[in-house]
Amino acid sequence: MYYIGVDLGGTNIAAGIVNEEGLIIRKKSIPTGRTRNAEEIVSDICRVILGLMEEECLTTENVHSIGIGSPGIHDRENGVIIYNNNLNFRNVNVRELIRKSIPLPVYLENDANCAAIAESVAGAAKGEDHAVIITIGTGIGGGIIIDKKLYTGFNGGGGELGHIVIQLNGEPCTCGRKGCWEAYASATALIRQTKDAALKNPNSKINEIVGGDLSRIDAKTAFDAAKMGDCTGLEVVNNYIVYLAEGLANIVNIFQPGVIAIGGGVSKEGEYLLRPLREKVRELTYSGYGLEEGKIVAAQMGNDAGIVGAAFITKVW
Amino acid sequence: MYYIGVDLGGTNIAAGIVNEEGLIIRKKSIPTGRTRNAEEIVSDICRVILGLMEEECLTTENVHSIGIGSPGIHDRENGVIIYNNNLNFRNVNVRELIRKSIPLPVYLENDANCAAIAESVAGAAKGEDHAVIITIGTGIGGGIIIDKKLYTGFNGGGGELGHIVIQLNGEPCTCGRKGCWEAYASATALIRQTKDAALKNPNSKINEIVGGDLSRIDAKTAFDAAKMGDCTGLEVVNNYIVYLAEGLANIVNIFQPGVIAIGGGVSKEGEYLLRPLREKVRELTYSGYGLEEGKIVAAQMGNDAGIVGAAFITKVW
C-alpha cells in the first residue's frame, strides 16, 4: 500500500508517494501561486497527485489515502482549512474539493505536527513511545507524540510549544503574549539577536561576513562568526543556547520524553549546537536521583518531513 | 470490589477503603512519626489497613489492591520508594514490607499524581479524556491525564508543571533553577509576596489581620485583606492571579486540556480567584479562530484526593 503526502506551503506545493517504510518513491514540487483562489490551488494539487500516481502506475486501489499538511487551523473531522494565513484560505473544504477528482480519503494536519509524525514514524523518534519534536524556523513549532500517537488536546489546538512564556513581560510575540519561548529561540529571534550584537560591535566578524549589510544576517551568521573565533558571535551563540535550553528544560520537566528531536535550519549546526545544549539542559533539569535521561537529537527527515508526515497522518491518530 | 488507598505524608498517614464509585466508605488517620525507621512506619500502615478491613468485614478476596501515594521518587515497577525527603526513606521496598502481612498487590504513585487520579476518576475532571490537575501548596504539583490515563513520561518523572520557568533568571526555586512557576504561584510564593507588600505598606489591612506579626501571614491573608477593600491586599492578589494565569496559559497552549482543575488551599478562594483567573487566561490564549475553550475549575476531592487517588492508581495506568 502507498500513501500520498502533500506539503502545502506558502511558496511551494510539494507532493510525494510514500511507501510503508516512510520512503518517498516519487515526488514533485510546483509553485503555490499563493494569491490565486483555493479552487485553483487545490486543482493544481490534484493534477500533481494524479501525475505522480500515473508515473508510478498506481490506481486509487493501491493508495491508502491523501494527507495534507499546512500551517494554520484545521477542522480535521471535516477536512476543512479554517484559516491559513499564507494562503488566504478561509473555511476551504479541501477534502470535498479533492474528492471531486480523486476518490480517496483525505486528511489534514498542521505542518509542525506533520514534522512530528514523520520523525515519529520514520525518523529521529522512530520506536519511541513519548517524543517531542521542535521545529525552529520563523517561529517554534511543536509536535507531541504520546504512546506513539500525535497529541493535540481536546480541541485539536495543543502542542503550541513555542508559546510557553519564559520571560514575563518579555519580548513581544506574534501570538499577542509577551515573552514566549519563540520570541527568544526561533530563527527570527536569533537573527534579531545577531543584528543587535553587530550594531553594538561594528568590528565583529558578523559585520564582516555580511559585508556590512546587516539585512543579510541570517540564522547561520552568528554560528559562522563564532566558529571563526569571534567574541561577539560566540556571545550571541552562547546566549541563544541558554534560551533554547531553558525552553527544552521546561519540556523535559513537563513531558520527560524519550527523545526530543530538533529540526529546522538551526539544527543543521549539528553537534556544535547540540553538545553544549545537552549540557545546559542537563544542568537545568538534573534531578540527582538517578532518573534516566531522554535524548536530545537532530531531526532526521529534513525537507521530506512535510510529505512523509502528511502521508502518515492516519498512522498516529 | 473495594480499593485501599493510603496517603503517606510527613505529618499523617491517612488510609481509606474506597468503593467502585470513588467514595471512601471508611477511613482512618494516624500520626506518621516521621523520624522513625521505615519498617516501623510501614508496620503502622499495615495495622491501619487491617483494622479498616476488619471493621468493614472485608477479606483480601474483596479488595482489589493497596495503593500508596507519597511525595518523592518511586520505582513503580518494583514498589520501591527511592527517595522521600519528608520521611527520610531511601530505597525502601514498601511493596515487599506490606506483603509480609497483607497478601495484596501494592502500587506506589507520587502524591500530586494521586490528586490528579482522584479528580480524573471521581472529581472535577471525571469523564474528560485530557485534563491537567494543579495542586497549589508549598510548591506546585502537576498531574497530567491523557486519554484518561496518567502521563508520567518515559522515565516516570514527567508532569513537574511547577518547574516550568516563566521568568529567566528569576526567583530561586527549590529545584535549583531560577524563575520556575512554583517560585511565583505556589502558596509559599504568595506568602512571600504578601509579606513583602506588608513590609512596604505598614498601614495595610494585611498588617492589621496578623496583629503586626508578619510571621502569621498565610496564603489566605492577602485575599482576606483584598476582600476588605485593602489596596495593598488587592495588589498582591491581582499580581498573584497574573502569575497563576501566565502558567495556566502555558498549560493551555501545551495541552489544550478539556479541564484544568486547581486544588490546594488557595483554590478554596473559589470564584473570587477563578473568575478573574479565567478572564486573564482567556486574554493570554485567545486564538480568535473559534477554538473551543477548556474549563478552569476548582478541584473537588479536597482532603480525600490522596486516599481516592492512591486507591485508584491501577485505573489510570
Side-chain angles (χ1 to χ4, degrees):
Chain A
M1 193 56 89
Y2 295 91
Y3 301 77
I4 288 169
V6 180
D7 184 354
L8 172 55
T11 311
N12 291 306
I13 298 165
I17 297 174
V18 178
N19 69 13
E20 286 281 0
E21 284 71 47
L23 289 174
I24 299 176
I25 58 168
R26 187 175 287 269
K27 67 179 171 183
K28 192 175 176 186
S29 176
I30 60 168
T32 306
R34 57 187 287 267
T35 52
R36 298 182 301 159
N37 68 39
E39 283 73 16
E40 286 178 278
I41 291 175
V42 176
S43 152
D44 266 3
I45 292 176
C46 291
R47 203 170 40 76
V48 172
I49 292 173
L50 290 169
L52 289 168
M53 285 172 65
E54 200 183 321
E55 283 158 25
E56 284 295 321
C57 303
L58 295 177
T59 69
T60 52
E61 279 174 22
N62 314 119
V63 176
H64 178 276
S65 55
I66 297 168
I68 298 173
S70 83
I73 314 279
H74 304 124
D75 171 356
R76 292 177 181 81
E77 206 169 317
N78 298 303
V80 174
I81 294 183
I82 297 175
Y83 180 85
N84 180 318
N85 203 28
N86 292 326
L87 298 175
N88 266 317
F89 276 33
R90 296 286 181 283
N91 291 310
V92 176
N93 194 321
V94 176
R95 178 179 295 161
E96 236 171 49
L97 287 174
I98 289 186
R99 285 173 59 88
K100 277 183 190 168
S101 40
I102 315 178
L104 277 170
V106 177
Y107 303 102
L108 296 184
E109 189 50 82
N110 174 275
D111 59 346
N113 286 339
C114 284
I117 296 169
E119 296 299 335
S120 172
V121 177
K126 194 173 171 178
E128 284 293 330
D129 285 338
H130 312 313
V132 171
I133 289 82
I134 300 295
T135 307
I136 300 173
T138 310
I140 290 187
I144 302 166
I145 302 291
I146 289 179
D147 285 329
K148 296 204 172 80
K149 301 281 171 205
L150 182 70
Y151 176 80
T152 60
F154 92 111
N155 59 8
E160 289 291 347
L161 303 180
H163 301 290
I164 300 174
V165 159
I166 62 165
Q167 180 84 62
L168 294 170
N169 296 314
E171 296 284 344
C173 181
T174 54
C175 76
R177 286 178 86 181
K178 284 181 179 175
C180 287
W181 187 32
E182 159 166 324
Y184 291 85
S186 63
T188 312
L190 173 56
I191 291 168
R192 188 188 68 233
Q193 292 151 14
T194 309
K195 274 186 190 164
D196 287 352
L199 274 172
K200 277 186 206 145
N201 303 277
N203 296 323
S204 82
K205 285 274 178 202
I206 296 172
N207 304 59
E208 200 181 307
I209 290 169
V210 296
D213 178 2
L214 301 194
S215 74
R216 285 175 55 208
I217 286 175
D218 63 21
K220 217 170 149 284
T221 315
F223 281 96
D224 288 345
K227 286 171 192 168
M228 292 160 82
D230 179 57
C231 295
T232 306
L234 206 60
E235 202 188 329
V236 172
V237 166
N238 287 344
N239 287 337
Y240 177 74
I241 287 173
V242 171
Y243 293 137
L244 206 48
E246 289 278 3
L248 291 177
N250 285 345
I251 286 168
V252 170
N253 285 341
I254 298 164
F255 289 106
Q256 292 286 357
V259 162
I260 298 178
I262 300 174
V266 175
S267 72
K268 290 185 188 141
E269 299 296 334
E271 286 302 310
Y272 186 85
L273 167 73
L274 292 174
R275 198 171 301 127
L277 189 61
R278 286 188 200 105
E279 247 172 62
K280 190 72 197 163
V281 173
R282 186 173 299 129
E283 198 183 291
L284 294 172
T285 54
Y286 178 64
S287 77
Y289 306 113
L291 214 55
E292 198 185 341
E293 280 175 39
K295 295 184 199 83
I296 298 176
V297 299
Q300 290 175 359
M301 301 296 289
N303 293 333
D304 289 344
I307 292 174
V308 175
F312 280 178
I313 288 171
T314 53
K315 298 225 177 203
V316 298
W317 268 1
Chain B
M1 193 57 88
Y2 295 91
Y3 300 78
I4 288 169
V6 181
D7 183 356
L8 172 55
T11 311
N12 290 307
I13 297 165
I17 297 174
V18 178
N19 70 12
E20 287 281 0
E21 284 70 47
L23 289 173
I24 297 176
I25 57 167
R26 186 174 288 269
K27 67 180 169 182
K28 192 176 176 186
S29 175
I30 59 168
T32 308
R34 57 188 287 269
T35 53
R36 298 181 301 159
N37 68 39
E39 283 73 14
E40 287 179 276
I41 291 175
V42 176
S43 153
D44 266 4
I45 292 176
C46 291
R47 201 170 41 74
V48 172
I49 291 174
L50 290 169
L52 288 168
M53 284 171 65
E54 200 181 323
E55 283 158 26
E56 285 295 322
C57 304
L58 295 178
T59 67
T60 53
E61 278 173 22
N62 313 116
V63 176
H64 179 274
S65 55
I66 297 169
I68 297 174
S70 83
I73 313 279
H74 304 123
D75 171 355
R76 291 177 181 83
E77 206 168 319
N78 298 303
V80 175
I81 295 183
I82 297 175
Y83 178 85
N84 180 319
N85 204 29
N86 292 327
L87 299 174
N88 267 319
F89 276 32
R90 295 287 182 282
N91 290 310
V92 175
N93 193 321
V94 175
R95 178 179 295 162
E96 238 171 46
L97 287 172
I98 289 187
R99 286 175 58 88
K100 277 184 189 166
S101 40
I102 315 178
L104 278 171
V106 177
Y107 303 102
L108 296 183
E109 190 50 80
N110 174 273
D111 59 346
N113 286 340
C114 283
I117 295 170
E119 296 299 335
S120 172
V121 176
K126 193 173 171 177
E128 283 294 329
D129 285 338
H130 310 315
V132 171
I133 288 82
I134 300 296
T135 307
I136 300 173
T138 311
I140 290 187
I144 302 166
I145 302 290
I146 289 179
D147 285 329
K148 295 202 171 82
K149 301 281 170 204
L150 182 70
Y151 177 80
T152 60
F154 92 112
N155 59 8
E160 289 291 348
L161 303 182
H163 301 290
I164 299 175
V165 159
I166 62 165
Q167 180 84 61
L168 294 170
N169 296 313
E171 296 283 344
C173 182
T174 53
C175 77
R177 286 178 87 181
K178 285 182 178 172
C180 286
W181 187 32
E182 156 166 327
Y184 291 84
S186 63
T188 311
L190 173 56
I191 291 168
R192 188 189 69 233
Q193 292 151 13
T194 310
K195 275 187 189 163
D196 287 352
L199 275 172
K200 277 187 205 144
N201 304 279
N203 296 322
S204 83
K205 285 273 178 205
I206 296 172
N207 304 59
E208 200 182 305
I209 291 169
V210 297
D213 177 1
L214 301 194
S215 74
R216 287 176 52 207
I217 287 175
D218 63 20
K220 220 171 147 285
T221 315
F223 281 96
D224 289 345
K227 286 170 192 168
M228 292 160 82
D230 179 58
C231 294
T232 306
L234 205 59
E235 201 187 331
V236 172
V237 166
N238 286 344
N239 287 337
Y240 177 73
I241 287 173
V242 171
Y243 292 138
L244 206 48
E246 288 278 2
L248 291 176
N250 285 344
I251 287 169
V252 170
N253 285 342
I254 298 164
F255 289 105
Q256 291 286 358
V259 163
I260 298 178
I262 300 174
V266 175
S267 72
K268 288 183 190 144
E269 300 296 335
E271 286 301 309
Y272 186 85
L273 167 73
L274 292 174
R275 199 169 302 126
L277 189 60
R278 286 189 200 106
E279 246 171 62
K280 190 73 197 163
V281 173
R282 186 172 301 131
E283 197 182 291
L284 294 171
T285 55
Y286 178 65
S287 78
Y289 306 115
L291 215 55
E292 199 186 341
E293 280 176 38
K295 296 184 197 82
I296 298 176
V297 299
Q300 291 175 359
M301 301 296 290
N303 293 333
D304 289 344
I307 292 174
V308 175
F312 280 177
I313 288 171
T314 53
K315 299 226 178 205
V316 297
W317 270 2

